[in-house]
Amino acid sequence: MLLDHIASLRTRDYKHTIKRLTEMGAKWQLMLPVQPFKGKYQRPDLRNHRKLLFVDGAVGFMGSQNVIDRSYNKKSNIRRGLKWKELIVRLEGPIVAGLNAIFITDWYSETDELLRRETEPITAELTTDALDAQVVPSGPGFRGENNLRLFLALLYYAQERIVITSPYFVPDESMLMAITTAVQRGIKVDLFVSEIGDQALVYHAQRSYYEALLRAGVRIWMYKKPYILHAKHFTIDDDVAVIGSSNMDMRSFQLNMEVSLMVRGRSFVEEMRAVEDGYRRDSKELTLDVWMKQPLRSTVLDNLARLTSALQ
């Protein structure tokens, strides 16, 4: 088991969790530990944000789900009644080996131990409903921002429709240009975000983009409180879907280790469309008229938060 050190350290019962893992005999390791007194020091702004689970090398799970209560066990969240809404995908077949390779390399980078049993080939059963899929890892260890390049390529590839779901949507200039250009090309673009936020600076930085998006013609859907829509995925036309751990912000593009899964197949996209339709039923649409009525102080706060977005 791999745990991101800083992210886990900030949760309640962290020490109790580590103790339980040790007592049950689980083999665990901290990722990117910041422990200078133990001779382990990494840049504290780098995080392993991947969420992966494998069973016997044959079945895999990935997406936005962390291994924690949906309130994150934080008193402030519980007091506000906040609950996280996630989306994960269950995988079988050769794609599991590709995802497993990411875990193996993450483990090796922290322990210098190669999990040889995990590298043994698994014979995949033939199936009639197979889909084309590709794993796209990303992070500071790669020369280019793999997730950003994938997202941009698909946004420019779109011919009819783009639907984006992101809890933390703070795009860089290239992504903002790709999205607004898509609308100008006559493509329908929908963006699902949360009505409320759990991280104040990121939430206000995200809001600073709403006017430009609305004026361009993007339809913004705000998932109703007290839920935080934490799912991270998007669909392109009726052909391609991407789901994973990556937010659409500069932290996920440059600092976090992420993993995305691109799937090509109408049947999978139809299932994703059903999920998106469910979001729409539980959301309210934000219009430009309503947005322009917000107080000046909110606009100032949003723009100030945007200035610090590269540091968040």
Side-chain angles (χ1 to χ4, degrees), residues 82-93:
L82 299 186
K83 297 178 181 180
W84 269 242
K85 186 174 181 64
E86 313 284 358
L87 189 67
I88 60 174
V89 61
R90 182 182 189 273
L91 302 162
E92 295 183 28

Side-chain angles (χ1 to χ4, degrees), residues 7 10-13 49 51 64-78 82-86 168 198-199 228 230 232:
R10 294 185 299 190
T11 61
R12 286 177 57 188
D13 299 324
H49 196 241
K51 301 102 168 47
S64 66
Q65 175 76 58
N66 290 305
V67 186
I68 195 169
D69 182 81
R70 67 186 309 186
S71 70
Y72 277 62
N73 287 327
K74 291 181 65 176
K75 292 182 180 179
S76 59
N77 293 342
I78 295 172
L82 299 186
K83 297 178 181 180
W84 269 242
K85 186 174 181 64
E86 313 284 358
Y168 310 116
D198 63 306
Q199 299 183 31
I228 300 293
H230 193 245
K232 309 153 194 295

